[in-house]
Amino acid sequence: MTALLSFDDVTFGYGPGARPVLERLSLDIESGTATAILGPNGVGKSTLLHLALGWLRAQSGLVLLDGRPLRAYPRRLLGQSMALVPQVERTPFDYSVLDYVLLARAPYLASLAMPGAEDERIAREAIDEVGLGPQCHRAITTLSGGERQNVLLARALAQQPRLLLMDEPTSHLDLAHKVGLLHLLRDRIARGMTVLLTTHEPEVAAAIATHVVLMRGGQVCGSGPIAEVFTADNLSATYGVPVQIAQIDGRQVVLWT
Amino acid sequence: MAFRPSWSWGATPANRKLAVIAVLLGAVVAMSLLIGRYPSPGIIAPDRLATDDLAQRIVFNLRLPRILTALMLGMSLSAAGAVFQQIFANPLVDPGFLGVSQGAAFGASLAIVFWGSSAWLVQGSAAIFAFSGLGLSYVMARRMRFGGSVLRLILAGIAISALFSAGVGALKYMADPLSQLPEITFWLLGGLASITWPQFWSIAPVVSISVFVVYRMRWRLNILSLDDSTAFSLGAAPGRERAVLLGAGVAATAAVVSVCGMVGWLGLIVPHIARRLFGADARHAVPAALLIGGLFGVLCDDVARTLLAGEIPIGILTSLIGALFFLAIFMTYGHSGEQR
């Protein structure tokens, strides 16, 4: 069975002659899994997401979706297959939440068409799912950071992707928003959505991921089911600081000294 | 003017507001035809128009092309302003900023100083240099080694505009202070006094096509206002779509500026007013900017040609009326009932 997304011997650097950010990286993301990418700052986690999206192109090696190279797909089809929740997104314009989430329908529309009633229904459903239903007509510029992150998630859900890519989804969230987001994701994952996310918080991986990828120095230094890879030794080696993993109520908590 | 929104949402409040503005615009255009300084300052009575030969010629050969050009002027600058602000995700940019306005000013001044003041030469030279300004900005932006594509374009536009405005300064210094300098000054302040049918027809095709392109692609503007990678993830081709929309905006701007001279502020202010009244979604903001811009263009030109016995430069009026309207709008209306 071919993986949903795979990196085959991918090397990528920003600009010719620059030191590669990712070097000869290979990785398979199976359908129905939730994979968390962990690793120190600057290791190429976000770059990996942008390569998965097809926005960045590898200097050598291939990124494949369903076994076909990404560049063989029309953009629109990629947009129907994958959605990105960026870490932050700034806009000076006060789009309403609904108008903003409706942009997710672009990959399904002819190039000059505008969203119709069915698109609006899908967008509203996604907005309800992230709990912003009552704020549907509010300007996004008036929302809090946590609410804006939820708008980005709603947009990604309204895109109805097979693979959801998330870049540090919890980095700007307070505890309540973080818990809300993780519950929502866990629910979606349980219903079969494939998720690939980067995070700086090992606990986030422990809470929702089925698989973990550890990155160091532009390469994968460990990957597999969370039970096998998420160990104190591996995390210590990845981050270069000694850590321990404690079990509290069946939950894994990373301790540092 | 018939205005039929093509989206599928029917009679929404926004569409009703647009229809009201469209009707208002039609009424203003019709009234403008009758307002002027012949036979005496004020309105020509319709029954006089039926009998007076000179009145007919004034209305249909002088006022009508001028009013239609003022309409195109307002629509073009506003549509281009809306495009530029959304594509550059910067509410402070104006359609002339990529070297277009200063390029046109340089071209017109050059023609006035060196080649006499034939209207066609001035228009042609202004149009050529407007596009040169854009072309230079674009080429420079590609060669810059700094920032992202949007930032590079903005920086290159600023630099090229400064170069051309230095050129305009030099030409003003060289110009004959009695004949050429006043002409340059009037051109830089804008005016539609010399517009007749040939001028109107010389820009109408470019303006119509450009405005149509912007109108049809307006929803894409929302997507293009996001980061390139996000726009890509939504299935867009950010580079290509931006180039098409910017090209349309610049072509319309260069065309109207070449015959009307520099008309400041409209392209900056009208998109703000449109977004304030209709929300940021370009589905409504772009048609609103087109209609409100047309309304502004025609009203400002009405005042320019009728208020005093002499012609008032329209650039002065667009700045004055635009700025006052702008302040009034921001002090009265909030967006979607939200106060910030």
Side-chain angles (χ1 to χ4, degrees):
Chain A
M1 182 190 134
T2 48
L4 177 58
L5 183 80
S6 39
F7 286 74
D8 183 12
D9 205 21
V10 167
T11 299
F12 175 84
Y14 288 93
R19 195 181 60 83
V21 180
L22 300 178
E23 225 173 337
R24 310 205 60 174
L25 180 143
S26 292
L27 184 66
D28 283 343
I29 306 296
E30 303 290 344
S31 187
T33 59
T35 307
I37 307 172
L38 293 170
N41 284 324
V43 76
K45 301 192 294 292
S46 302
T47 304
L48 191 140
L49 287 189
H50 281 139
L51 281 162
L53 200 60
W55 169 239
L56 296 178
R57 287 199 179 165
Q59 267 99 30
S60 69
L62 286 174
V63 183
L64 308 131
L65 182 68
D66 282 331
R68 263 174 74 198
L70 286 187
R71 57 171 180 269
Y73 285 85
R75 283 159 194 263
R76 201 180 301 267
L77 199 54
L78 288 181
Q80 294 173 12
S81 311
M82 293 184 279
L84 173 70
V85 179
Q87 198 173 344
V88 275
E89 190 165 279
R90 291 196 179 83
T91 169
F93 302 112
D94 47 4
Y95 300 110
S96 77
V97 170
L98 179 60
D99 291 340
Y100 203 64
V101 172
L102 267 176
L103 300 181
R105 303 305 298 162
Y108 296 91
L109 297 170
S111 53
L112 290 178
M114 281 186 270
E118 174 66 7
D119 298 306
E120 193 183 331
R121 191 190 61 73
I122 293 167
R124 280 180 189 274
E125 221 172 75
I127 294 168
D128 285 339
E129 187 171 345
V130 302
L132 282 173
Q135 270 96 331
C136 187
H137 292 291
R138 257 180 77 178
I140 51 168
T141 43
T142 65
L143 300 176
S144 73
E147 286 168 330
R148 286 186 79 154
Q149 186 71 31
N150 278 333
V151 173
L152 295 180
L153 177 62
R155 188 180 68 198
L157 294 177
Q159 217 172 321
Q160 300 178 319
R162 296 159 58 205
L163 174 59
L164 180 64
L165 305 168
M166 305 180 89
D167 197 2
E168 307 277 353
T170 55
S171 60
H172 296 283
L173 302 184
D174 64 29
L175 193 58
H177 277 108
K178 192 198 283 189
V179 170
L181 178 82
L182 292 178
H183 280 179
L184 192 156
L185 283 178
R186 199 187 274 164
D187 180 47
R188 276 288 186 148
I189 292 161
R191 287 177 1 211
M193 177 178 264
T194 314
V195 178
L196 177 61
L197 61 91
T198 68
T199 181
H200 279 302
E201 298 172 86
E203 287 86 354
V204 168
I208 58 169
T210 59
H211 291 68
V212 170
V213 173
L214 299 173
M215 285 181 71
R216 188 166 174 82
Q219 278 164 332
V220 171
C221 60
S223 84
I226 188 156
E228 296 167 20
V229 181
F230 198 80
T231 62
D233 286 349
N234 280 345
L235 289 178
S236 302
T238 302
Y239 289 104
V241 288
V243 299
Q244 292 180 306
I245 294 178
Q247 299 275 346
I248 299 177
D249 286 348
R251 297 272 295 273
Q252 294 184 301
V253 182
V254 175
L255 301 172
W256 45 272
T257 49
Chain B
M1 197 180 99
F3 183 81
R4 212 162 286 159
S6 64
W7 54 87
S8 54
W9 294 13
T12 59
N15 289 354
R16 258 179 262 131
K17 267 198 282 182
L18 282 173
V20 169
I21 300 178
V23 169
L24 191 65
L25 178 60
V28 165
V29 168
M31 279 304 292
S32 301
L33 280 173
L34 298 178
I35 295 172
R37 298 185 77 84
Y38 176 87
S40 58
I43 296 175
I44 298 182
D47 53 328
R48 168 135 199 187
L49 191 59
T51 53
D52 186 339
D53 217 27
L54 182 59
Q56 283 178 8
R57 264 185 286 153
I58 286 177
V59 167
F60 293 112
N61 290 344
L62 293 176
R63 287 187 194 164
L64 186 57
R66 183 170 174 165
I67 288 163
L68 292 178
T69 305
L71 186 70
M72 290 200 300
L73 171 73
M75 285 184 154
S76 300
L77 292 181
S78 308
V83 166
F84 276 49
Q85 290 176 6
Q86 242 177 332
I87 280 185
F88 291 107
N90 184 337
L92 296 177
V93 301
D94 149 279
F97 92 112
L98 284 181
V100 176
S101 291
Q102 293 303 328
F106 178 80
S109 309
L110 196 69
I112 291 169
V113 171
F114 291 111
W115 305 317
S117 52
S118 137
W120 288 110
L121 270 177
V122 173
Q123 182 191 339
S125 176
I128 288 169
F129 278 93
F131 278 104
S132 315
L134 173 76
L136 278 173
S137 302
Y138 191 74
V139 170
M140 292 299 142
R142 289 190 68 105
R143 288 166 166 261
M144 274 190 194
R145 294 277 166 270
F146 177 75
S149 59
V150 168
L151 182 60
R152 286 204 299 261
L153 258 181
I154 292 178
L155 291 174
I158 290 172
I160 298 298
S161 295
L163 282 179
F164 276 123
S165 82
V168 171
L171 287 166
K172 278 166 123 176
Y173 184 71
M174 290 156 64
D176 177 344
L178 292 179
S179 60
Q180 295 170 337
L181 191 55
E183 206 174 325
I184 294 179
T185 307
F186 270 104
W187 198 91
L188 293 179
L189 289 172
L192 286 80
S194 61
I195 307 274
T196 50
W197 283 116
Q199 267 88 30
F200 169 82
W201 287 117
S202 72
I203 62 166
V206 175
V207 168
S208 318
I209 293 170
S210 307
V211 166
F212 181 72
V213 167
V214 172
Y215 178 76
R216 282 305 307 265
M217 285 183 74
R218 63 195 187 281
W219 188 60
R220 308 297 293 179
L221 279 173
N222 297 332
I223 295 168
L224 298 175
S225 76
L226 306 175
D227 291 341
D228 278 0
S229 56
T230 309
F232 179 89
S233 79
L234 294 170
R240 199 168 61 222
E241 291 181 42
R242 276 203 183 108
V244 170
L245 278 158
L246 285 182
V250 167
T253 303
V256 295
V257 166
S258 75
V259 299
C260 302
M262 304 269 276
V263 178
W265 281 88
L266 259 182
L268 180 64
I269 287 170
V270 171
H272 277 278
I273 296 174
R275 283 197 297 269
R276 219 13 49 169
L277 293 175
F278 287 83
D281 188 336
R283 270 179 302 176
H284 300 122
V286 163
L290 282 170
L291 293 173
I292 296 170
L295 201 57
F296 260 103
V298 174
L299 283 174
C300 288
D301 188 51
D302 284 350
V303 176
R305 67 190 169 84
T306 57
L307 190 65
L308 302 178
E311 176 91 14
I312 305 171
I314 193 173
I316 297 176
L317 294 166
T318 52
S319 303
L320 181 71
I321 299 174
L324 290 177
F325 211 87
F326 189 66
L327 289 173
I329 283 278
F330 276 86
M331 288 174 186
T332 34
Y333 291 90
H335 168 252
S336 309
E338 285 300 322
Q339 292 295 333
R340 273 193 267 173

